[in-house]
Amino acid sequence: MFKLRSLVTALALVGSISVASALETLPTVAPAPADNPTTQEKVELGKLLYHDPRLSSTGTVSCSSCHNTMLGGEDNRANSMGVHGQTGGRSAPTVWNSAFNTVQFWDGRAPSLEAQAAGPVTSPIEMGMKSWDDVIARLKTIEGYQVAFEEAFGKDSITKDNATKAIASYERTLITPHSPYDKYAAGDTSALTAQQVRGLHKVQELGCTSCHSGPAFNGPGVFQPFPIHSNPVFAAKYHFKDDKGLAEVTKKADDEHLWKVPTLRNIALTAPYFHNGSVKTLDEAVVVMAKTQLDKDLSTTEVADIVAFLNALTGQFPKQSMPVLPTTPGRTFN
Amino acid sequence: MFKLRSLVTALALVGSISVASALETLPTVAPAPADNPTTQEKVELGKLLYHDPRLSSTGTVSCSSCHNTMLGGEDNRANSMGVHGQTGGRSAPTVWNSAFNTVQFWDGRAPSLEAQAAGPVTSPIEMGMKSWDDVIARLKTIEGYQVAFEEAFGKDSITKDNATKAIASYERTLITPHSPYDKYAAGDTSALTAQQVRGLHKVQELGCTSCHSGPAFNGPGVFQPFPIHSNPVFAAKYHFKDDKGLAEVTKKADDEHLWKVPTLRNIALTAPYFHNGSVKTLDEAVVVMAKTQLDKDLSTTEVADIVAFLNALTGQFPKQSMPVLPTTPGRTFN
């Protein structure tokens, strides 16, 4: 981890460079790691696995239950609900454009979509499977999966490694380009309203785009501290510091309250906000961020302008076909 | 309710008429009630509502959670799991071809798909909404629903009546024609294997098709008693009689253990079986039905033949697009 406060300050200066050179459209294709090139067969298999509730102990929770591909890629809940109605302490991040995150999970503990996909399946409060061995054993009894894995990875290829690779391949197709902001960035000055343009300039001027930078507004710094400036009102209301972020994983004091910079793409669709989902509206999230990260008190107009701009980051959701999941004729899945 | 045992006997004779005249293909269009003609706009709206978990108190359970349109129209669980992980005593019936049921729910208490759709939303153990007023109030705050209801029903039309009409209209499109059986019934004698033809003849000869008759194998008698013949082994294992069926609703002794005749269409995909989901496999379900309803002990070969035939009732699932649910920019759904 690098020294973040100095980086924030340095990048705040970068944030004031001219608009024209700074705006980047969202790529329409996501990069894939060398050991998992995206293929249509993997995407199709991953789409099945992603939507299959039989990857959970109860047969009721799929990846899409909490990261809903029919909505903004999550569940609009403060904390997701896993098997047997259990809830954890964090809010589900959106799956849309997650391919453009350098690291995954709020605390950034997974270095790839592949690594992320392995996690929730065996979390006792999420999908509740006892082990990946159990998942693989179950998948092997479903003939349609034997076929789909063979098409994607070759014969007898139902493994945890391949299952997570397929899910990641599918997730890399979940991109929402052509937002009003993208059209504006591509040169169509009529794509944003005057208020949205004011909001764009304001987030640059304030320094929001120092951390929320790049085409997905989630880089270049991978981790950032949150909250930077203590605020007793927010502390009492939102309890941000109850969760130590990356330090919960690494157990290092230096990592306390470090978080992955979340994308601002489709941010209007992913209420409630922050790692614990404690803030219900985007307006309030903007107020909180300005105060805790930049020590700024925004006027009502400034908040409205920024929120208008953030709404311009809502992209076009690709038309998808509904998967037809492979069946277990004459018996149940367990 | 009519005298069922005599009807069963009478129809058992009908079941032995020639194959050619008795086989009926599944219609590809479902009839709609006079006050709810199917329109594309209603179907589109109904598809949104059907897949929207925000019709539940927690935002986690949609119609499709238990009646999964990506699977065999249910969840392959003995009892479905509603909000907060709660379960009831009955197994979710399939939504596929439910348009061809004369009555809905296992106990047949709903006379239409419209009436059925109103139920689970406010059941405390299913979707958990306090009232339909709450559902409507929530839907009214979602701009995309204002538009979709207007297109389907005209201005300011977000009501319980219209919501359930739209869901029913969508469900009327969930038909799985062109099963091997349908092809056989249409004259393609190669569509069934020799074993499946033996199974078909066996279910007619035994009298299964007395109750499971017509193109959806769910008529003409609407209600039937189950189990007819008491069997101590099954009683101890499966507890069929713990649930009194229609009498749980009507409180009439005559209605005890009366049940809607469920469709056999896609029966291979809807394990586990019976109203309480107590029987895990189709093989065992066939053994149980022969014994409890017809007092017959089947040979292993007969069971295998019948199961082979029942697998021929698995239809072709229509390709569907995945709905893009209307969003609540900047805030949550509740």
Side-chain angles (χ1 to χ4, degrees):
Chain A
M1 306 303 139
F2 35 78
K3 283 285 172 215
L4 287 151
R5 285 190 204 203
S6 55
L7 184 68
V8 169
T9 312
L11 287 170
L13 299 171
V14 179
S16 62
I17 57 172
S18 78
V19 172
S21 66
L23 306 189
E24 293 174 73
T25 58
L26 193 68
T28 54
V29 176
D35 69 342
N36 189 24
T38 306
T39 66
Q40 192 54 38
E41 291 77 13
K42 285 188 216 170
V43 171
E44 288 300 320
L45 168 60
K47 187 179 184 179
L48 297 177
L49 294 167
Y50 189 92
H51 291 94
D52 199 331
R54 296 169 301 181
L55 262 67
S56 68
S57 58
T58 53
T60 60
V61 179
S62 72
C63 305
S64 192
S65 298
C66 305
H67 307 278
N68 194 338
T69 47
M70 299 183 192
L71 274 168
E74 44 88 84
D75 55 8
N76 285 145
R77 288 176 47 88
N79 309 125
S80 293
M81 192 166 270
V83 293
H84 301 294
Q86 297 172 98
T87 53
R90 296 204 183 142
S91 191
T94 180
V95 70
W96 293 105
N97 309 307
S98 59
F100 301 113
N101 295 336
T102 309
V103 294
Q104 305 294 340
F105 292 116
W106 271 102
D107 55 28
R109 68 185 182 275
S112 67
L113 286 173
E114 286 80 358
Q116 190 282 329
V121 177
T122 53
S123 160
I125 60 168
E126 296 182 55
M127 298 169 79
M129 292 298 289
K130 283 221 178 72
S131 68
W132 263 96
D133 285 349
D134 284 5
V135 180
I136 296 308
R138 186 180 287 182
L139 291 176
K140 281 183 175 173
T141 70
I142 302 176
E143 197 187 334
Y145 274 124
Q146 292 169 17
V147 175
F149 272 87
E150 181 165 341
E151 283 172 0
F153 297 101
K155 260 204 173 311
D156 296 325
S157 59
I158 304 186
T159 62
K160 172 188 175 183
D161 190 46
N162 286 338
T164 55
K165 279 181 172 170
I167 292 170
S169 294
Y170 169 61
E171 291 173 331
R172 290 196 175 95
T173 69
L174 299 178
I175 301 173
T176 64
H178 311 312
S179 69
Y181 168 80
D182 290 300
K183 291 174 187 165
Y184 183 84
D188 176 3
T189 52
S190 70
L192 296 189
T193 65
Q195 186 183 31
Q196 289 173 327
V197 173
R198 284 201 307 273
L200 167 59
H201 292 162
K202 183 55 70 180
V203 299
Q204 294 177 316
E205 179 194 318
L206 287 168
C208 310
T209 47
S210 307
C211 297
H212 292 289
S213 66
F217 294 84
N218 65 345
V222 173
F223 291 94
Q224 295 291 351
F226 170 85
I228 294 177
H229 302 284
S230 286
N231 179 297
V233 178
F234 295 150
K237 268 171 95 169
Y238 302 129
H239 309 281
F240 294 132
K241 288 198 144 184
D242 289 3
D243 187 329
K244 294 200 164 68
L246 185 59
E248 304 274 353
V249 185
T250 64
K251 310 294 178 196
K252 291 181 187 166
D254 280 358
D255 293 340
E256 283 188 10
H257 310 297
L258 282 190
W259 300 95
K260 172 188 76 178
V261 177
T263 181
L264 297 184
R265 292 279 176 178
N266 304 307
I267 190 73
L269 308 187
T270 63
Y273 297 101
F274 298 102
H275 57 270
N276 60 1
S278 59
V279 174
K280 280 207 157 192
T281 67
L282 187 52
D283 294 52
E284 175 72 352
V286 167
V287 169
V288 168
M289 278 300 279
K291 190 69 185 167
T292 61
Q293 301 306 88
L294 305 164
D295 200 22
K296 294 267 166 67
D297 292 291
L298 302 183
S299 71
T300 310
T301 308
E302 286 172 325
V303 172
D305 290 352
I306 291 171
V307 167
F309 164 67
L310 292 173
N311 270 280
L313 296 178
T314 300
Q316 285 180 9
F317 288 75
K319 281 190 177 40
Q320 295 190 80
S321 60
M322 206 187 286
V324 177
L325 300 177
T327 57
T328 55
R331 62 175 184 83
T332 67
F333 57 88
N334 55 4
Chain B
M1 304 305 140
F2 36 77
K3 282 285 172 216
L4 287 152
R5 286 190 205 204
S6 55
L7 183 68
V8 169
T9 312
L11 287 170
L13 299 171
V14 178
S16 62
I17 58 173
S18 78
V19 172
S21 65
L23 306 190
E24 293 174 73
T25 57
L26 192 68
T28 54
V29 176
D35 68 343
N36 189 25
T38 305
T39 67
Q40 192 53 38
E41 291 77 13
K42 285 188 218 170
V43 170
E44 286 301 319
L45 168 59
K47 186 179 185 180
L48 296 177
L49 294 167
Y50 189 91
H51 291 95
D52 199 331
R54 296 169 301 180
L55 263 69
S56 67
S57 58
T58 53
T60 60
V61 179
S62 71
C63 305
S64 192
S65 297
C66 305
H67 307 278
N68 194 338
T69 47
M70 299 183 192
L71 276 167
E74 44 88 85
D75 55 7
N76 284 145
R77 288 175 48 87
N79 309 126
S80 293
M81 192 166 271
V83 292
H84 302 293
Q86 296 172 99
T87 53
R90 294 199 183 147
S91 191
T94 181
V95 70
W96 293 105
N97 309 307
S98 59
F100 301 113
N101 296 336
T102 309
V103 293
Q104 306 294 341
F105 292 116
W106 271 102
D107 55 27
R109 68 185 183 276
S112 66
L113 287 173
E114 286 80 358
Q116 190 282 328
V121 178
T122 52
S123 160
I125 61 167
E126 296 182 55
M127 297 167 80
M129 291 298 288
K130 283 220 178 73
S131 69
W132 264 96
D133 285 348
D134 284 4
V135 180
I136 295 310
R138 186 181 288 182
L139 291 176
K140 281 184 175 173
T141 69
I142 302 176
E143 196 186 334
Y145 274 124
Q146 292 170 19
V147 175
F149 272 86
E150 182 165 340
E151 282 172 1
F153 296 103
K155 261 204 173 309
D156 295 325
S157 59
I158 304 186
T159 63
K160 172 187 176 183
D161 190 47
N162 286 338
T164 56
K165 279 182 171 168
I167 292 170
S169 295
Y170 169 61
E171 291 173 332
R172 290 195 175 95
T173 69
L174 298 178
I175 302 173
T176 65
H178 312 311
S179 68
Y181 169 80
D182 290 300
K183 291 174 187 166
Y184 183 84
D188 176 3
T189 51
S190 71
L192 296 189
T193 65
Q195 186 184 31
Q196 289 174 327
V197 173
R198 284 200 308 274
L200 167 59
H201 292 161
K202 184 55 69 180
V203 300
Q204 294 176 317
E205 181 194 317
L206 288 168
C208 310
T209 46
S210 308
C211 298
H212 293 288
S213 66
F217 294 82
N218 64 344
V222 174
F223 292 94
Q224 296 290 351
F226 170 84
I228 294 176
H229 303 284
S230 286
N231 179 296
V233 178
F234 295 151
K237 269 172 93 169
Y238 303 129
H239 309 282
F240 294 132
K241 288 198 144 184
D242 289 2
D243 187 329
K244 293 198 164 73
L246 184 59
E248 304 274 353
V249 185
T250 64
K251 310 295 176 195
K252 291 180 188 167
D254 280 359
D255 294 341
E256 283 187 9
H257 310 297
L258 283 190
W259 300 94
K260 172 190 74 178
V261 178
T263 181
L264 296 184
R265 292 278 176 180
N266 304 308
I267 190 73
L269 308 188
T270 63
Y273 297 100
F274 297 102
H275 58 269
N276 60 1
S278 59
V279 175
K280 280 207 157 191
T281 67
L282 187 53
D283 293 53
E284 176 70 354
V286 167
V287 169
V288 168
M289 279 300 278
K291 190 68 185 169
T292 61
Q293 302 306 88
L294 305 164
D295 200 22
K296 295 266 167 69
D297 292 290
L298 302 184
S299 71
T300 309
T301 308
E302 286 172 324
V303 172
D305 290 353
I306 291 171
V307 167
F309 164 67
L310 292 173
N311 270 280
L313 296 177
T314 300
Q316 284 181 9
F317 288 74
K319 281 191 177 39
Q320 296 190 78
S321 61
M322 205 185 287
V324 177
L325 300 178
T327 57
T328 55
R331 61 175 186 82
T332 67
F333 56 89
N334 56 2

